[in-house]
Amino acid sequence: MTKEELLSKLKTIITPYVQNEEGLNTLTENTDFIKDLEINSANLVDVVLDVEDEFDIEIDNESMEKMLTIKASIAVIEDKLASK
Amino acid sequence: MIGNDIVDLQLANTQSDWQRRGWVQKIFTIREQQYILASEKIELLIWKFWSMKEAAYKAHQRRFNLPSRYNPQSFRCTPKGEVYVDNYSYKTVTETQNEYVYTIAMGSDIDYRSSVYDKPMNIRSKLKETIIRKLNVDASLICLTKDSNGIPIVNINQTTMQLPISITHHGKYSAFVVSV
């Protein structure tokens, strides 16, 4: 899977939880889920569960800790896909 | 240091499906899950523990100037209101109403002022009024701003005061707490 495909899938996953639509239009690798997209912190766990379902991977607590930005989430997904 | 967190229960139950497979397991420790399952008001305890974790997270991050993390399981709640993280503990006070759950967490016993609002309003100006009354300083000298981590801080006469504050919003509710 290319990085673009991965980013596009991740964008689809986070969209329903985004409360600041403008942040979605200006999405970059550095976009922060809470600060820029205003995703409710209780919904971050839904993002993690959706990522697990979509990519058929398991995200442990240590990896989940990092999943606050697009960049960090992509790194976690790539890492888990590689060790599948 | 101090932290607070409010949960609008009506909104929480539309925003989050806590019965979703894996949801409770990702957020709560095994011990917390046992308390939750044994509770007569499962939903309420879920949001109470959640607000305790969030409030303690804020107090802990501020105390040690830590980077953001999504580690709700690292903050371990007890039914008596303590929250443990690493080798530290926080005392919490939770107010449970029909429509919201509100928690204040602190590293040690301190005096504080806190208010909850159920209508849209400028919470920063309310907080400012409280600080003015308490410290008896001129309004023009007080400036509420944010540090580089986005954490609210108080400047009095252009000097950063060590006055712990915390602000929280969810749904139609907002609240502040200030240690005075």
Side-chain angles (χ1 to χ4, degrees), chain B:
Chain B
M1 272 299 163
I2 205 156
N4 69 350
D5 187 69
I6 198 156
V7 176
D8 178 331
L9 291 172
Q10 201 189 348
L11 181 62
N13 290 321
T14 54
Q15 270 181 339
S16 296
D17 173 14
W18 60 266
Q19 298 190 61
R20 177 179 184 181
R21 194 170 59 89
W23 198 93
V24 163
Q25 289 78 2
K26 283 258 188 272
I27 293 178
F28 300 103
T29 65
I30 302 282
R31 194 95 184 88
E32 288 163 351
Q33 290 175 43
Q34 287 167 347
Y35 288 124
I36 288 167
L37 283 175
S39 167
E40 284 176 13
K41 294 178 176 172
I42 287 184
E43 204 165 85
L44 207 56
L45 189 56
I46 282 175
W47 294 119
K48 183 186 172 183
F49 277 169
W50 172 259
S51 74
M52 284 166 66
K53 284 170 186 275
E54 288 274 290
Y57 170 86
K58 286 184 187 174
H60 192 64
Q61 296 290 103
R62 285 157 199 208
R63 187 170 171 191
F64 297 107
N65 202 17
L66 300 171
S68 304
R69 271 198 209 168
Y70 191 55
N71 55 344
Q73 282 211 19
S74 300
F75 291 80
R76 306 180 302 276
C77 304
T78 73
K80 285 183 179 167
E82 293 111 352
V83 180
Y84 293 93
V85 53
D86 300 330
N87 294 320
Y88 302 95
S89 73
Y90 292 85
K91 185 187 163 186
T92 67
V93 178
T94 301
E95 180 192 346
T96 304
Q97 299 286 351
N98 285 337
E99 299 193 350
Y100 69 83
V101 175
Y102 175 53
T103 300
I104 296 166
M106 56 213 119
S108 53
D109 274 313
I110 44 172
D111 288 328
Y112 59 84
R113 294 279 177 285
S114 178
S115 295
V116 174
Y117 300 94
D118 62 0
K119 291 183 190 70
M121 73 162 60
N122 190 339
I123 188 130
R124 292 175 168 268
S125 65
K126 292 286 173 193
L127 171 55
K128 210 165 152 178
E129 284 168 24
T130 305
I131 296 169
I132 291 162
R133 267 202 309 275
K134 200 65 203 170
L135 299 180
N136 201 16
V137 289
D138 195 84
S140 63
L141 296 179
I142 295 190
C143 177
L144 289 181
T145 174
K146 285 183 178 180
D147 71 7
S148 56
N149 289 324
I151 290 169
I153 50 172
V154 185
N155 283 331
I156 296 178
N157 206 4
Q158 296 178 359
T159 311
T160 301
M161 264 276 296
Q162 292 301 321
L163 194 64
I165 57 174
S166 183
I167 297 172
T168 176
H169 304 270
H170 189 228
K172 63 175 179 166
Y173 296 100
S174 53
F176 72 77
V177 63
V178 52
S179 163
V180 287

Side-chain angles (χ1 to χ4, degrees), chain A residues 17-80:
Chain A
Y17 309 111
V18 169
Q19 298 189 85
N20 177 18
E21 300 285 335
E22 210 167 299
L24 209 52
N25 296 331
T26 56
L27 201 78
T28 70
E29 279 216 324
N30 295 318
T31 297
D32 185 292
F33 292 155
I34 294 176
K35 286 183 203 138
D36 301 320
L37 302 177
E38 293 174 21
I39 294 179
N40 183 280
S41 53
N43 280 139
L44 283 183
V45 71
D46 292 299
V47 170
V48 173
L49 291 169
D50 288 348
V51 164
E52 286 189 335
D53 290 346
E54 174 65 35
F55 297 97
D56 191 25
I57 52 177
E58 196 178 321
I59 294 169
D60 51 277
N61 288 338
E62 206 183 314
S63 302
M64 184 168 101
E65 277 190 21
K66 303 173 194 153
M67 290 178 61
L68 288 161
T69 64
I70 292 284
K71 194 177 184 172
S73 303
I74 287 181
V76 166
I77 297 166
E78 281 179 335
D79 178 53
K80 297 293 173 194

